[in-house]
Amino acid sequence: MAQLPAQTIYRDPQLLYWILLPITAVMVLTGVLRHYASVLMATQPKSFDHRSIKEQRSMVHGVATRSNFHVLSAASFRARRDYLTNAYETGAFLKDPDRRGQPPANPMTDPNAMDGMMGMMKNNMAMMIPNTLIMSWINAFFSGFVIIKLPFPITIKFKSMLQAGVMTKEMDPRWMSSISWYFLCIFGLQSVFNFILGSENAANQMAQQMGAMGPQAGPQMFGPGVDPDKQFKTEAENLAVVEHYSVLDDVEDRLLKGIKSN
Amino acid sequence: MSSSLLHPPSHLPPATALRHSQQAPSVLQNYPGAITTSILQSVFSASETQELWTVYENLLLSCLRTGDDESAHQCLGRLVNRFGDNNQRVMALTGLLKEATAPDNAALDLVLQEYNQILQENPSNIPIAKRRAALLRAMGRISEAVNSLNSLLDMSPTDAEAWAELADLYLAQGLYSQAIFAQEEVLILQPNAWNIHARLGEMFLMAARTSDAPKRLTEALKRFCRSVELCDNYLRGYYGLKLTTQQLLSEASLRASKQTEPQEWPIPASSTLRNLDEVATEKLAEIIRRNSAGETDWQGYDEAEISAARQLLDSHSAARSR
């Protein structure tokens, strides 16, 4: 079977200077800008006041006591359990004991919760706005340009990815359109940003998306809309049902056996 | 640069601290004093790392120990430049520097008043609260130090460091049951810390002299067993184990006492005690032998602890041969 003749398209060499390089430069510069914008907009990690620290840490303390009860002797554990369950049930650790039993505040009106949401909004906006702008800019000025030819052959499946905006059925998928170059830049500039900004930059939107999907761990145990009083009550119940044993119960026999078996 | 500058320096032997502080001029010269935020320079200069600031902090502490106040001031200056005056940790370091350079008690009182004022504005400033407790202890106002630690722990009961300090304070005052309680809190937060287990055993051993001997000695024995179970060749653990078994074996009157509560641990059988005693003696002898023979894997024990263990073994064998 005769080989298909290689497609040749005569491109204006000016395409390189007026489309390829500008798109790349714009992408890099937006990345840098986004980094500095997010550094500027980053909110200081919120400092908690005395009572909310107490509320959170008392909770953590209870959890620690419940999960590490085995280091204590029976009497010490009982004393701690009595103290903690009593304090949990009377609400001694609550941030504002007067609000016990009332439904939790609406997260939309709680200024603390709004802060967190605003932070997320800002991050999302910092990603979305520049991307939308640049994409419409490219669509308006450079749509339909075929700008480079990849130096290696690729299969037909890549056609839709590489030739977005150019509706030509027969063209070799090695040709690349301007809008596809833009997408390639979005995903491929990570190492460039690492070089310019250091490895913990905020320019990389992929990392940000990954982070947003990850679990929201951290000190924010009482998220908006969670009633601490109820959590304390649950914890008191958990503590009450612990069946105590201790690692010290027959430690000396264990030790002797372990040493003899060596 | 030496990686040991990255470790917290509080427990370093004096020689190492001295070596660190002698490095101070070269570190201060070679490390960047500030990190630029401009793009152009950041391409060419080293990027900011967390290690850098850890190094400054540890160097500051080492310099204060050896009296190199000049370098300490420089380190603190760089930290302040980077993190600002209002960073809680930097505030505590600033206070520490003031404490260290204070010439007399009046100056220390001024520092204390400063701490009080900071805490009045922001009671949740934990580093400063800790400094205040430490300063009160250093000034000999033990009961105030206890109070300040108690109020800190009321706010933040998950702070193992503060619990340990509180336990130490109580122990120094001879309040054994309080000390034991605080030390147990440390264990809840760090359940596998063998040194804390052994320390708690030591507290029980000391407390057994005052009252409740059989119960406390039994628990001390178990604590020491647990600590050597967690860490083989732990000298303090074996030392305590030997002391406890000897006491339990020698005082026959203890063994006659009745068990009061069913939930308490019974005193182990004397055969078990003898076995444990044997194990501890062997292990201590092995540690001493290999350490003084200079075997590479057996270095790092405290000199004082080794000689104490040697004395214990000697007195034991003397008593036996008599």
Side-chain angles (χ1 to χ4, degrees), chain B residues 143-213:
Chain B
S143 58
E144 280 175 72
V146 169
N147 284 342
S148 102
L149 274 178
N150 271 329
S151 67
L152 167 66
L153 285 169
D154 178 56
M155 176 180 79
S156 159
T158 52
D159 194 327
E161 196 184 25
W163 279 115
E165 178 73 10
L166 184 65
D168 209 36
L169 277 173
Y170 277 136
L171 189 67
Q173 289 174 291
L175 300 168
Y176 290 116
S177 29
Q178 283 90 333
I180 287 169
F181 180 90
Q183 197 73 8
E184 279 173 347
E185 287 292 334
V186 182
L187 264 190
I188 287 178
L189 299 167
Q190 303 288 336
N192 294 326
W194 61 85
N195 53 345
I196 303 293
H197 272 288
R199 183 82 186 128
L200 186 53
E202 286 164 17
M203 286 179 183
F204 272 114
L205 192 57
M206 285 183 249
R209 273 194 222 134
T210 54
S211 63
D212 233 359

Side-chain angles (χ1 to χ4, degrees), chain B residues 245-310:
Chain B
T245 49
Q246 275 178 348
Q247 280 198 29
L248 275 173
L249 281 170
S250 64
E251 293 173 46
S253 59
L254 296 180
R255 317 193 49 74
S257 64
K258 292 268 182 311
Q259 227 50 113
T260 43
E261 281 181 57
Q263 287 193 342
E264 278 171 13
W265 290 304
I267 301 176
S270 26
S271 62
T272 320
L273 286 178
R274 257 179 229 114
N275 281 339
L276 283 174
D277 184 40
E278 222 167 89
V279 166
T281 316
E282 267 172 37
K283 200 74 195 184
L284 283 175
E286 187 190 2
I287 292 174
I288 294 171
R289 180 166 47 80
R290 303 188 102 155
N291 179 279
S292 43
E295 286 186 36
T296 42
D297 290 350
W298 294 80
Q299 299 307 309
Y301 287 106
D302 197 66
E303 274 307 311
E305 288 180 2
I306 289 279
S307 66
R310 190 174 286 141

Side-chain angles (χ1 to χ4, degrees), chain B residues 38-177:
Chain B
S38 90
I39 309 173
L40 269 182
Q41 281 175 334
S42 66
V43 173
F44 301 109
S45 65
S47 58
E48 176 176 13
T49 54
Q50 287 192 343
E51 284 82 19
L52 177 67
W53 306 115
T54 317
V55 164
Y56 279 140
E57 198 180 312
N58 292 340
L59 197 61
L60 168 69
L61 297 177
S62 285
C63 287
L64 284 182
R65 267 180 82 179
T66 52
D68 185 359
D69 294 342
E70 183 57 30
S71 305
H73 270 289
Q74 281 189 37
C75 290
L76 184 68
R78 291 183 183 186
L79 286 169
V80 170
N81 264 345
R82 172 65 180 83
F83 297 102
D85 277 324
N86 292 326
N87 184 290
Q88 296 191 344
R89 208 156 153 169
V90 171
M91 280 162 98
L93 287 176
T94 315
L96 187 69
L97 187 69
K98 277 184 199 155
E99 283 173 44
T101 51
D104 50 11
N105 265 340
L108 280 182
D109 263 330
L110 277 184
V111 180
L112 184 65
Q113 276 166 23
E114 222 170 282
Y115 287 162
N116 286 341
Q117 201 182 351
I118 293 173
L119 285 178
Q120 220 161 35
E121 281 162 24
N122 179 12
S124 61
N125 192 336
I126 292 174
I128 288 288
K130 284 186 178 175
R131 280 294 349 133
R132 178 163 177 267
L135 178 60
L136 282 170
R137 185 179 188 180
M139 292 166 76
R141 291 149 76 169
I142 303 288
S143 58
E144 280 175 72
V146 169
N147 284 342
S148 102
L149 274 178
N150 271 329
S151 67
L152 167 66
L153 285 169
D154 178 56
M155 176 180 79
S156 159
T158 52
D159 194 327
E161 196 184 25
W163 279 115
E165 178 73 10
L166 184 65
D168 209 36
L169 277 173
Y170 277 136
L171 189 67
Q173 289 174 291
L175 300 168
Y176 290 116
S177 29

Side-chain angles (χ1 to χ4, degrees), chain A residues 61 68 71 78 80 254, chain B residues 185 188 223 229 263 265:
Chain A
H61 186 215
N68 296 330
V71 299
R78 225 179 305 122
R80 283 179 174 74
R254 250 185 358 241
Chain B
E185 287 292 334
I188 287 178
R223 293 282 167 199
E229 186 185 36
Q263 287 193 342
W265 290 304

